[in-house]
C-alpha cells in the first residue's frame, strides 16, 4: 500500500501525534527509522535481519522470522493504543503482525493472521488466553486498524 494512501487515511481519520511510523524505505542495514509523522526516538533494530528482508518490493519489509526491537520504549504503553498496519500475506501459515505479549507471564496482547486467513486478537483474562477473530476473509493485501482499550481489550 502506498505511503500516500496511508498518510491520506491517517489524515481522514483524524489521527495526530503518531509515536511510531515505519515505511520500510527508511532503514540502514538492520536499523529502521521511525519517520515523518512518527517520533525518531522509536526507531528500531530488525532482529534476525538478512538479505531476504529487503528488495521484495519498494517500501516493504518481508518478515519471515524477523521482528523490530525498539530499545527506547519510554512513553510507549499498551493502554489506549491504536495500531494501523498495511500488510500483504504470502503463504498459508499463520503469522503475528504485532505483539505486546509479556515473555515472563500471561499478560499482554498480539494481533495476527490465522491459517484460515482471518485477523485475530489474543489477550489474557485472569491468566487465560482469549481470542477474538474478525469474521471475514482477507484479500492478499489489507489495511488494518486496531484500537486497544485501557485494560488491554480490543475495541
Amino acid at each position: 500500500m502506498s505511503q500516500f494512501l496511508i498518510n491520506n487515511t491517517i489524515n481522514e481519520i483524524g489521527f495526530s501525534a503518531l509515536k511510531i511510523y515505519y515505511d520500510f524505505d527508511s532503514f540502514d542495514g538492520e536499523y529502521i527509522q521511525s519517520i515523518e509523522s512518527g517520533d525518531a526516538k522509536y526507531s528500531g533494530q530488525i532482529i534476525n535481519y538478512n538479505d531476504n528482508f529487503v528488495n521484495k518490493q519498494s517500501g516493504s519489509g518481508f518478515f519471515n522470522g524477523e521482528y523490530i526491537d525498539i530499545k527506547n520504549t519510554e512513553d510507549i504503553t499498551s493502554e489506549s493504543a491504536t495500531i494501523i498496519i498495511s500488510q500483504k500475506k504470502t503463504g498459508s501459515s499463520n503469522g503475528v503482525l504485532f505483539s505486546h505479549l509479556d515473555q515472563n507471564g500471561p499478560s499482554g496482547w498480539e494481533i495476527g493472521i490465522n491459517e484460515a486467513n482471518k485477523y485475530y486478537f489474543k489477550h489474557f483474562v485472569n491468566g487465560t488466553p482469549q481470542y477474538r477473530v474478525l469474521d471475514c476473509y482477507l484479500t492478499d493485501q489489507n489495511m488494518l486498524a486496531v484500537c486497544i482499550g485501557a485494560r488491554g481489550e480490543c475495541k
Side-chain angles (χ1 to χ4, degrees):
M1 197 159 291
S2 76
Q3 184 175 347
F4 172 78
L5 179 59
I6 292 170
N7 284 334
N8 194 39
T9 303
I10 289 170
N11 290 334
E12 284 179 4
I13 294 172
F15 282 121
S16 62
L18 298 176
K19 289 197 186 263
I20 303 171
Y21 186 176
Y22 301 131
D23 73 350
F24 298 100
D25 275 333
S26 302
F27 61 92
D28 181 16
E30 61 191 55
Y31 292 91
I32 187 160
Q33 305 301 315
S34 181
I35 60 146
E36 271 183 44
S37 303
D39 189 329
K41 74 179 182 180
Y42 299 118
S43 298
Q45 180 181 8
I46 302 167
I47 305 299
N48 299 325
Y49 175 85
N50 62 53
D51 291 337
N52 290 328
F53 183 77
V54 295
N55 300 324
K56 297 288 183 181
Q57 182 177 343
S58 177
S60 68
F62 181 74
F63 288 86
N64 188 16
E66 297 86 9
Y67 62 94
I68 299 172
D69 184 32
I70 303 170
K71 295 292 184 203
N72 183 3
T73 57
E74 293 176 13
D75 303 321
I76 298 177
T77 65
S78 62
E79 295 84 22
S80 302
T82 298
I83 299 172
I84 301 170
I85 299 172
S86 170
Q87 60 79 219
K88 180 177 181 180
K89 184 177 179 188
T90 58
S92 59
S93 62
N94 64 334
V96 176
L97 297 174
F98 185 90
S99 179
H100 191 270
L101 291 178
D102 184 348
Q103 299 297 323
N104 299 315
S107 66
W109 46 267
E110 74 180 18
I111 303 163
I113 301 174
N114 65 19
E115 291 89 351
N117 205 30
K118 295 181 177 187
Y119 286 123
Y120 72 85
F121 176 81
K122 174 184 178 182
H123 68 123
F124 290 87
V125 175
N126 297 325
T128 303
Q130 304 287 312
Y131 291 86
R132 290 183 69 180
V133 177
L134 183 63
D135 193 23
C136 68
Y137 294 99
L138 305 174
T139 61
D140 290 340
Q141 190 166 349
N142 304 278
M143 189 166 190
L144 164 73
V146 177
C147 295
I148 310 299
R151 296 181 304 159
E153 75 280 5
C154 182
K155 292 184 169 189

